[in-house]
Amino acid sequence: MDTVQHSDAARPVLEGPDIARVLTRIAHEIVERAKGADDVVLLGIPTRGVFLARRLAEKLEQITGRTVPVGSLDITMYRDDLRMRPARALARTDIPGEGIDGRLVVLVDDVLFSGRTIRAALDALGDLGRPRAVQLAVLVDRGHRELPIRADYVGKNLPTSLRETVKVQLAEEDGRDAVLLGLRGDS
C-alpha cells in the first residue's frame, strides 16, 4: 500500500457507500466462483486488508448464512525490500482454527500495485500450510505490476501514473471510508 499524507490535493475516487457496494459485489463473486463459501478462508494482509477481510466475512455470512473463517497474514519478514526500508513492527498472523490446508484461501488487501506484497503473502502462506487454491481480492488495482500477479476480485480498477498515490482510509483505522488519489509529495 502507498502511504501519503492526506492533503487538499488528494481527491476521493471512492467514498464509504462505494466501498460498501464493491465489497458486496466481491462477496457475491466469491460465492459464485466458489459455488458457496463452505471451504473459504479469508486472510487479510495488515493493516487495512484485515479490516476488509472482516467486512467481506460479514457480507459472505449475510449471503450464505454461514460463518466464514477470517484471519490475518503478516508478510513483513517475507518482503524483498526489508533491508531497503526502515525497520517496522511485525503485525499479527492469525490463522483460523480450521487452518488453511485443503481450503480455498482468499487473500485480501487494499491496493494492488507492483505485486510484491502478494508475492510475499504467497511465500508466508506456504510456510503455514497447503491450501487447495489461493485467490486474491483487492479494493483497488492501480496497475504497474512488476511481477505476474493479478487479482481475482477487484473493487475498482484505477489506472494511475507513477507520480500518483492511492491512499485507502477505513473507519476502523482512519475514522472514515475513502480511497484518495493524490500526487507524490503532497502534504
Side-chain angles (χ1 to χ4, degrees):
M1 182 199 77
D2 285 319
T3 54
V4 65
Q5 296 295 321
H6 175 53
S7 74
D8 294 331
R11 67 176 174 88
V13 292
L14 291 176
E15 300 274 3
D18 306 314
I19 292 172
R21 194 170 28 260
V22 298
L23 289 176
T24 298
R25 178 176 45 79
I26 289 171
H28 280 281
E29 290 173 1
I30 290 170
V31 169
E32 184 176 331
R33 188 176 287 180
K35 296 177 178 43
D38 294 346
D39 72 339
V40 171
V41 175
L42 300 173
L43 291 181
I45 298 172
T47 298
R48 288 166 185 80
V50 175
F51 301 130
L52 292 169
R54 289 180 188 149
R55 291 184 190 188
L56 273 174
E58 290 172 8
K59 293 191 180 288
L60 287 167
E61 185 172 351
Q62 291 169 2
I63 294 166
T64 65
R66 303 178 70 111
T67 301
V68 175
V70 63
S72 61
L73 181 64
D74 178 43
I75 55 125
T76 303
M77 299 309 294
Y78 295 87
R79 294 189 63 92
D80 62 4
D81 62 356
L82 204 54
R83 66 187 175 282
M84 299 177 344
R85 298 181 113 175
R88 60 191 254 188
L90 295 178
R92 180 178 162 99
T93 291
D94 180 27
I95 302 301
E98 301 88 352
I100 60 169
D101 290 334
R103 310 286 301 262
L104 169 59
V105 172
V106 179
L107 295 173
V108 182
D109 203 7
D110 55 355
V111 178
L112 179 57
F113 184 27
S114 68
R116 293 182 181 278
T117 296
I118 304 310
R119 187 224 28 98
L122 292 169
D123 288 348
L125 198 58
D127 283 351
L128 297 171
R130 190 170 194 282
R132 174 178 62 78
V134 179
Q135 296 177 347
L136 175 60
V138 297
L139 183 61
V140 175
D141 183 345
R142 65 169 292 186
H144 303 288
R145 219 70 78 240
E146 296 173 5
L147 298 172
I149 291 180
R150 69 168 182 80
D152 299 280
Y153 311 101
V154 177
K156 181 165 183 69
N157 284 296
L158 185 63
T160 61
S161 79
L162 290 173
R163 293 182 44 239
E164 292 175 307
T165 59
V166 175
K167 171 73 173 167
V168 173
Q169 295 181 329
L170 296 176
E172 297 91 334
E173 180 82 5
D174 308 296
R176 77 174 211 165
D177 286 349
V179 175
L180 304 172
L181 184 63
L183 290 176
R184 290 205 186 282
D186 286 347
S187 55

